[in-house]
Amino acid sequence: MRSRRLIRALQCALDLFVLTAAFLAAYLLRFEFRIPPSQLSEAIYQLPYVVLLQFAALAMVGVYNFIWRYIGMAELRAFVFAAAGSAAPLIGLRFFLSDSYSHWRIPLSVILIDTIVGFGGVVAMRLLRRALYERREKQRRGAREQRVIKPAL
């Protein structure tokens, strides 16, 4: 039971890392790897709130109930809902906040890049886990089949 909690904590930490890296990468791409100091300070201010929103969206759609090694196309729908559910409020803030709250107005290109890269990365991590699991199982089955002595005809 304790190892399950540790694994779950590690999975959450990996998701937080990927979502954080995606947000920072989105800003870097938006400003062609030369972020102006004013935008950098806004990005650092926005980062924890955006990542928390995305993480909460993943939790709300039930992503943390999936077993990583069994993830497939059926579970992809939850990730799409989480991505849309976290991007929509950010887009709403971008369009409807007044200029006095400009530090909350994330550029649309950053929202789009972050959503695609962040949630794509989270899905890719799980698919990689599944591929590694299936490869190991295939090797294990192959080793067992080689041990079986086949009768000569």
Side-chain angles (χ1 to χ4, degrees):
M1 188 67 151
R2 187 174 181 172
S3 65
R4 276 192 196 158
R5 286 187 199 145
L6 181 62
I7 289 171
R8 183 60 52 115
L10 179 61
Q11 291 170 343
C12 291
L14 287 171
D15 284 348
L16 289 171
F17 174 78
V18 168
L19 294 172
T20 300
F23 186 75
L24 296 174
Y27 259 97
L28 285 169
L29 290 170
R30 162 64 176 88
F31 292 102
E32 298 177 357
F33 295 91
R34 285 175 276 174
I35 304 173
S38 63
Q39 290 293 324
L40 182 60
S41 65
E42 287 185 5
I44 292 170
Y45 183 79
Q46 297 161 351
L47 175 68
Y49 300 104
V50 171
V51 171
L52 182 63
L53 174 67
Q54 292 172 332
F55 187 78
L58 287 169
M60 287 175 56
V61 298
V63 164
Y64 295 106
N65 296 328
F66 302 150
I67 299 173
W68 282 33
R69 66 179 173 229
Y70 298 125
I71 195 159
M73 292 301 290
E75 290 79 19
L76 189 61
R77 183 177 177 179
F79 289 96
V80 171
F81 284 142
S86 67
L90 298 176
I91 292 170
L93 289 173
R94 172 73 186 152
F95 285 119
F96 298 115
L97 281 180
S98 66
D99 289 338
S100 62
Y101 295 103
S102 65
H103 57 278
W104 287 110
R105 296 173 75 190
I106 302 169
L108 286 176
S109 58
V110 171
I111 296 170
L112 179 65
I113 294 168
D114 176 45
T115 301
I116 292 169
V117 173
F119 287 95
V122 168
V123 170
M125 218 173 17
R126 286 161 170 78
L127 292 175
L128 177 63
R129 170 65 176 104
R130 177 179 176 168
L132 292 173
Y133 171 77
E134 288 179 357
R135 181 177 176 197
R136 187 176 58 214
E137 287 298 308
K138 186 177 180 181
Q139 289 173 347
R140 192 177 297 157
R141 280 192 303 267
R144 265 189 259 141
E145 290 172 4
Q146 288 176 355
R147 281 184 257 163
V148 175
I149 299 172
K150 296 181 182 179
L153 295 174

